[in-house]
Structure formats: C-alpha cells, structure tokens
Amino acid sequence: MFKILVVEDDRALNRSVCSFLKDGGYDTVSCFNASDAYDAIYDCFFDLIISDIMMPEIDGFEFAKNVRALNPNIPILFMTARDDFYSKQKGFRIGIDDYMVKPVDLDELYLRVGALLRRAQIASSKKLVVGNLTLDADEYTAYIDNKEVSLTVREFNLLFKLLSYPKKTFTRSQLMDEFWNSDTSSGPRTVDVYITKIRDKVSDCDGFEIVTVHGLGYKAVLK
C-alpha cells in the first residue's frame, strides 16, 4: 500500500484529505507543520508528499527544498491558496511535481496522486515504453523497434518529460526553465526548434504524437 504524507496546518482540510485518500486505498500520515513532517520522514518511508505552502515557522518552499535535498525522487504536490505565477514557478524550480490551488476538488486530487505515483514508478525504473519506442534514462538512449535513435541529451529529456505526463500541456517557458540554464540567451521559441527535431527523429513511433497547443506549448498524446 502506498504511504502518503499530508502536511497541512488547516486541521479540517488535513483530516478531509487523509480520510478521502484512505477511502481510496492509500495509507496516510497527517502533520500540521514542517517540523513534525521532518520527524515523520525520518521515521518511515513515504511514496508521496502533499504539502501546503503557507505554514507557520517553516513554509512549504523551504520544506520542499529540504525534502528534495534528502530525496530527489519522491513526488511532491503543493496544495495551496497561492494562485500567482511566481509561487508556481518557485515551486517547480525547487523541484515539486504538481501544484493545486485551493479549494481543492478531492476527486481531482485523487487522480493526480495516482498519476504522480505511476510516474514515480516509471522514474525509478528509469525506462519508459510507449508503443514501439523505448527510452532508457540510465543510458540516455532511445530505441524504435529495437533500433537505436540518435537523440541529444536535451532532446531525450524533453521527450521523456512529455511522455511521462501524457495529455499534460507544457508551456514553452516551463520547458525552458527546466531544460535550459537560467542565463541562456535563447528565447522560448528555441523549444519549437527542438520539438521539430524530435518529431522528425521519432516519426516512426506508433504509440504517440507530440501535439502543438496553440498559444501555449506542447503535449504528448498517446494513440
């Protein structure tokens, strides 16, 4: 059974989230501040963390940053009232995996938790198979019908990211923030160039397509 840590100082919301997830088959541990959450993390293994941002003494940003330093792979989902772009950008740059704005729909939260746990299992295996394409993150290699496809590291990372989150739209800015250095002189349209190259190199793949979301960016759609 997957074990989930819920760090939320609103006790009523904390109880609601934990109860809902338990009904869905997950084991949950409730903490009302980051200090108690650190103790819980040291005491047992968690598969996923749900955390608020605005908490007393230690906020969610510092908490997530410290957790990420200890465990680079555990999925972290922010559940917060902060709906501004700066907070979202800061969270993703720290290394969180998903972001939900309160009031949270518990059914949607349940779906996102399931998706994050599935992707965590993919990441831990370091291998992603979609149709006749296999991506091996240990070797940074791609194979179509067992024939190696030449991808640069950045092309590989972009493709792995899109396929790890099927149907999720990533803006050009999000992809730039993650895969280019902050001091790069390249603009967001650089992503278009890379996507064109990737599409050409994996044109023989039968399991997905990279779709342009006009005015935003790109997403992978499974066939």
Side-chain angles (χ1 to χ4, degrees), residues 12-205:
L13 177 59
N14 197 317
R15 285 193 298 270
S16 295
V17 170
C18 287
S19 177
F20 192 85
L21 293 176
K22 284 179 180 177
D23 289 343
Y26 295 113
D27 185 14
T28 63
V29 172
S30 171
C31 289
F32 303 116
N33 57 67
S35 296
D36 289 344
Y38 289 138
D39 292 337
I41 290 170
Y42 286 123
D43 286 341
C44 61
F45 174 82
F46 290 98
D47 297 286
L48 182 144
I49 295 173
I50 298 172
S51 175
D52 191 8
I53 291 178
M54 296 180 288
M55 297 185 291
E57 297 182 9
I58 301 172
D59 66 17
F61 294 124
E62 185 178 352
F63 172 64
K65 185 176 180 179
N66 291 335
V67 168
R68 195 47 84 227
L70 293 170
N71 187 334
N73 299 316
I74 186 169
I76 302 173
L77 185 155
F78 269 175
M79 181 177 65
T80 177
R82 298 182 64 164
D83 193 20
D84 59 288
F85 177 75
Y86 172 77
S87 296
K88 296 176 183 178
Q89 182 183 55
K90 185 175 180 179
F92 283 112
R93 283 182 170 172
I94 287 170
I96 68 163
D97 300 273
D98 206 348
Y99 194 109
M100 294 187 71
V101 177
K102 298 174 183 176
V104 169
D105 182 285
L106 293 178
D107 288 314
E108 181 181 354
L109 174 65
Y110 182 81
L111 292 175
R112 293 199 187 199
V113 164
L116 287 171
L117 290 170
R118 286 193 299 273
R119 288 195 289 270
Q121 290 178 309
I122 291 170
S124 65
S125 70
K126 299 295 185 181
K127 189 172 288 188
L128 182 60
V129 179
V130 180
N132 60 343
L133 171 72
T134 300
L135 297 176
D136 189 324
D138 278 330
E139 300 178 357
Y140 277 92
T141 51
Y143 301 90
I144 299 177
D145 293 324
N146 296 318
K147 183 178 179 180
E148 186 171 351
V149 178
S150 177
L151 294 175
T152 67
V153 171
R154 186 170 285 152
E155 289 168 351
F156 181 94
N157 286 335
L158 283 166
L159 182 57
F160 199 96
K161 182 75 172 185
L162 291 172
L163 289 176
S164 295
Y165 297 77
K167 295 185 180 180
K168 177 178 173 62
T169 298
F170 290 93
T171 67
R172 294 176 178 86
S173 295
Q174 284 177 315
L175 296 173
M176 287 291 295
D177 285 344
E178 182 162 354
F179 298 115
W180 276 262
N181 294 328
S182 59
D183 58 351
T184 182
S185 59
S186 301
R189 290 293 174 180
T190 302
V191 176
D192 299 345
V193 176
Y194 274 80
I195 293 296
T196 299
K197 291 179 180 178
I198 293 169
R199 282 172 170 160
D200 181 60
K201 291 182 178 183
V202 300
S203 59
D204 292 332
C205 293

Side-chain angles (χ1 to χ4, degrees), residues 205-220:
C205 293
D206 59 13
F208 72 96
E209 62 177 325
I210 299 175
V211 175
T212 301
V213 181
H214 294 291
L216 288 175
Y218 299 94
K219 65 180 177 180

